Amino acid sequence: MSDISRRILTFLLFFAAVTFPCVVIYQAASSYQLLPQSSPILIDPSIFIANVTNNISYLATEEVSLERVLKDAAMDDGTVILTTLNEAWAAPDSIFDLFLESFRIGDHTRRLLNHLVIIALDGKAYTRCLAVHTHCFALTTEGLDFSKEAYFMSPHYLKMMWRRIDFLRSVLEMGYNFVFTDADIMWFRDPFPRFYSEADFQIACDSFWGNSYDLNNRPNGGFNYVKSNNQTIEFYKFWYSSRETHPGYHDQDVLNMIKHDPRIAEIGLTMRFLNTAYFGGLCEPSRNLNRVCTMHANCCYGLDSKLHDLRIMLEDWRKYMALPFPYKKLSFSSWRVPQKCSLASLRHYSSPPKDVHNEKEE
């Protein structure tokens, strides 16, 4: 039982000790006026204790259930792959189906589905997950409905993004490493060989400037690999608390603001930025299909636009995979996207030099 559960149990037992005698006295007084003295009203203490126990069980259910799901999905080193899903993206033939399809047709990615946990933000998304996937967890937030499409930078969107950061902190506290991936990221190759072994926190970029240590890289919160340790737990607490220092901004913008903060060095966090040559997106596509691991439908506004370009992206990958091996190495293939996704409307910074992608960083 967690510390929170113990504190709740202590409070409820104290409450029961004080309340139960008062209830008995009140009922006895009422019965004296309304009923013959030979017909007293008796209260079974086991009923009250059962209610207390049920409340404790209810409060602990989410923690226990998450622990079970994570344990079932974890790799040998305690790493899980996480994504969040709501009703808008979970509908048949929507983002979720394309996301799962990318694992199935990717190069050595199908096996990674065994370690993928879907965090459903509403009932319909959870039901859909249970119908098509093994590892599902229902994450509910009292007073908030995350079922509909959350438009970029709307209040609803901001609440959803910050709820995600707080949840990921809890996963780290439970001792699990994770790769977090947005569901609009297509997995075409196993990314683990491209991760930095010494980094605590590594994150994909909208714009990568050629050096994985360069804090001027523009991070994208939709894809990151995080190890569970004291440094990352404190970092996520700091990141989440910084929403109050920078109100009205989403998690990605706040990360861009705090990445220079001296608090990061105090925590001792090792941060690295992932090369878009391997972890690309519509902001800055991975041009070489022989190197790409993931592609993100970032720099794209609206569900319909994302779906359109993601479907084309999967078609391009299928054509590439169908090529004879020698032709793959020649790398004639290229993405036909973005199409409906507009870069100009979302890009507020200049592109890195064109030769960045030709730099091989190991």
Side-chain angles (χ1 to χ4, degrees), residues 74-187:
M75 302 176 188
D76 291 341
D77 66 348
T79 300
V80 292
I81 302 170
L82 305 174
T83 193
T84 52
L85 187 68
N86 67 353
E87 177 186 342
W89 283 26
D93 300 321
S94 191
I95 297 287
F96 185 39
D97 285 349
L98 301 182
F99 177 68
L100 295 179
E101 180 66 11
S102 73
F103 281 87
R104 298 186 186 109
I105 67 174
D107 185 5
H108 295 90
T109 52
R110 179 183 285 267
R111 64 179 180 81
L112 296 177
L113 287 171
N114 297 326
H115 308 292
L116 172 66
V117 177
I118 309 297
I119 310 300
L121 301 178
D122 59 78
K124 289 188 177 180
Y126 184 62
T127 300
R128 180 78 208 290
C129 179
L130 292 175
V132 298
H133 190 62
T134 304
H135 308 298
C136 306
F137 175 72
L139 178 65
T140 57
T141 304
E142 185 177 354
L144 295 176
D145 178 12
F146 290 142
S147 63
K148 305 304 178 186
E149 181 180 1
Y151 290 99
F152 184 69
M153 290 308 294
S154 66
H156 190 67
Y157 174 87
L158 294 177
K159 290 177 182 178
M160 186 184 296
M161 294 302 100
W162 285 114
R163 180 68 178 97
R164 183 175 78 183
I165 294 297
D166 193 39
F167 172 77
L168 293 176
R169 183 266 313 155
S170 70
V171 173
L172 294 173
E173 289 182 337
M174 296 175 75
Y176 291 92
N177 316 313
F178 64 77
V179 177
F180 178 81
T181 171
D182 278 345
D184 63 343
I185 293 179
M186 303 294 99
W187 284 54

Side-chain angles (χ1 to χ4, degrees), residues 8 107 117 126 163 175 202 210 242 252 255 258 264 297 300 313 323 344:
I8 294 172
D107 185 5
V117 177
Y126 184 62
R163 180 68 178 97
Q202 44 200 304
S242 297
Q252 184 172 304
L255 174 60
I258 67 172
I264 304 297
C300 188
M313 200 184 295
L323 289 173

Side-chain angles (χ1 to χ4, degrees), residues 197-243:
S197 60
E198 81 286 0
D200 300 314
F201 174 86
Q202 44 200 304
I203 188 167
C205 299
D206 284 341
S207 180
F208 181 76
W209 295 92
N211 182 342
S212 66
Y213 289 101
D214 189 352
L215 292 176
N216 292 314
N217 291 313
R218 300 275 309 187
N220 186 296
F223 187 91
N224 46 68
Y225 174 39
V226 189
K227 296 177 182 176
S228 174
N229 56 38
N230 292 334
Q231 290 80 9
T232 56
I233 292 170
E234 288 305 311
F235 169 66
Y236 266 78
K237 289 179 180 178
F238 174 57
W239 189 0
Y240 185 69
S241 67
S242 297
R243 78 195 188 286

Side-chain angles (χ1 to χ4, degrees), residues 42 63 158 286 320 353:
L42 301 178
E63 180 180 338
L158 294 177
S286 175
Y320 165 78

